[in-house]
Amino acid sequence: MEDTEKVIAYLYENKLLLSALILFFILIVRRITLGAIRGDVAFISEDQRKWMSRTKNWSFALIVLILFLVWKSEISEFALSVTAIAVAIVVASKEIILCFTGSIQRASSRSFRIGDWIEVGKTSGEVIEHNLMATVVQEIDLYHGHYHFTGKTITLPNSMFFTYAVKNLNFMKRYVYHHFSIVVPGFDNLFPLVPDLIAQIENHSEGFIDVARRYNGVIEKHAGVDLPGSEPHVYLSSGATGEQIVNVMIFCPTELATHLEQEIRADFMLIYSNAFPKEK
């Protein structure tokens, strides 16, 4: 009796040996049982096939069940370890997963394609490449109203598309609504100067105004909204310290925006100096 208990204790401590013996025993019993079912017949009947299939399935289920009971504690520890590893992997790869799903979001929404001008957060530029992980743009200086490439290449992780709105500025590649302001100290009456300034702006716009009107109509039709139009807009406002501000908005070719702004500023200064000459 003591010898039997020692053998059982030894086998329980050496689970690998116990598992091998159990597997060997069940496979021997299965082989004997299958041989008995088949017998010496040349052709197996349907009932024999059923019982042979049941024997194989039951023996496999019995092997899995017994091995699970033998290795239950180790399997529990391994499952906890795998769970911890899986959680760690998900946390560590969160940004990668967001980049991948951001690429799917971009493709499904068709928010932009290569060659489009886009603005994401405070970054704006022309898309030159996009893949599953990132979008590469050539930076464009929009915040200073210059509309030219800065020479910087920016790689945006696609995860940014879940954090920031993606603005498609593609129509600005050809024509743009260009805004700028002219600050005038003092409190002179500037309203009589507005018609002369608009006339000068229209004079500068003669070379492209027809194309601008057609392009503006195309944008309105595509966007489905009523845009300000291609005509120049000039309005006056006051600053916090009493100065007057002349606000100008023109619809012009993007590459001419900065040049036209300088010409319009020069025209206004000339008109203003003629209207309000300084006393000597």
Side-chain angles (χ1 to χ4, degrees):
M1 187 67 179
E2 293 180 359
D3 294 339
T4 304
E5 292 178 354
K6 290 181 180 179
V7 171
I8 294 175
Y10 176 79
L11 292 176
Y12 187 76
E13 292 176 358
N14 297 271
K15 294 184 178 181
L16 190 60
L17 177 59
L18 177 61
S19 300
L21 292 175
I22 292 173
L23 186 62
F24 176 77
F25 176 76
I26 293 177
L27 290 178
I28 291 296
V29 173
R30 188 184 74 164
R31 185 178 182 85
I32 295 173
T33 304
L34 290 176
I37 294 173
R38 179 182 177 89
D40 296 330
V41 296
F43 301 98
I44 304 174
S45 66
E46 184 176 346
D47 290 337
Q48 286 177 311
R49 293 184 185 276
K50 288 181 180 180
W51 280 106
M52 290 176 68
S53 177
R54 291 169 184 169
T55 302
K56 292 177 181 179
N57 293 334
W58 290 345
S59 61
F60 177 77
L62 187 62
I63 290 173
V64 172
L65 178 60
I66 294 176
L67 290 180
F68 175 78
L69 293 175
V70 172
W71 295 91
K72 181 173 63 175
S73 58
E74 287 77 4
I75 292 175
S76 299
E77 294 177 1
F78 177 75
L80 291 175
S81 301
V82 169
T83 303
I85 293 172
V87 172
I89 291 174
V90 170
V91 172
S93 60
K94 174 185 174 182
E95 193 68 21
I96 297 176
I97 295 173
L98 286 176
C99 288
F100 180 73
T101 53
S103 175
I104 297 175
Q105 186 270 344
R106 177 202 59 79
S108 60
S109 62
R110 298 181 181 178
S111 53
F112 61 86
R113 58 185 179 180
I114 291 179
D116 287 356
W117 285 15
I118 64 171
E119 182 178 355
V120 183
K122 294 184 178 181
T123 302
S124 55
E126 180 174 333
V127 180
I128 60 175
E129 182 184 354
H130 57 71
N131 50 49
L132 292 177
M133 301 304 299
T135 298
V136 183
V137 300
Q138 286 284 355
E139 186 182 39
I140 300 173
D141 184 10
L142 296 182
Y143 289 98
H144 299 93
H146 294 157
Y147 312 103
H148 59 69
F149 292 100
T150 64
K152 300 177 182 177
T153 301
I154 303 177
T155 302
L156 304 174
N158 291 336
S159 58
M160 291 183 65
F161 301 152
F162 292 108
T163 308
Y164 301 98
V166 180
K167 300 178 183 179
N168 193 312
L169 312 176
N170 198 40
F171 78 92
M172 294 177 61
K173 291 181 67 175
R174 292 187 58 194
Y175 280 77
V176 65
Y177 284 104
H178 183 59
H179 304 254
F180 62 93
S181 301
I182 304 172
V183 179
V184 180
F187 202 75
D188 298 317
N189 184 12
L190 302 180
F191 282 95
L193 309 184
V194 172
D196 292 338
L197 181 60
I198 292 178
Q200 290 295 327
I201 296 174
E202 291 177 345
N203 183 50
H204 293 308
S205 305
E206 286 182 352
F208 60 82
I209 190 63
D210 292 334
V211 178
R213 290 193 182 102
R214 291 195 298 270
Y215 193 71
N216 185 265
V218 171
I219 297 173
E220 287 183 332
K221 184 177 180 180
H222 178 74
V225 295
D226 184 18
L227 297 177
S230 57
E231 292 73 21
H233 298 268
V234 178
Y235 64 95
L236 305 179
S237 61
S238 299
T241 56
E243 70 275 8
Q244 296 190 87
I245 303 175
V246 181
N247 301 280
V248 181
M249 184 184 72
I250 57 175
F251 187 69
C252 63
T254 304
E255 67 273 10
L256 298 179
T258 304
H259 175 71
L260 289 172
E261 177 183 340
Q262 298 303 310
E263 289 189 337
I264 294 169
R265 286 181 181 274
D267 292 336
F268 177 79
M269 290 179 181
L270 180 61
I271 296 172
Y272 178 80
S273 62
N274 292 334
F276 303 98
K278 293 183 178 179
E279 297 182 0
K280 297 183 179 179

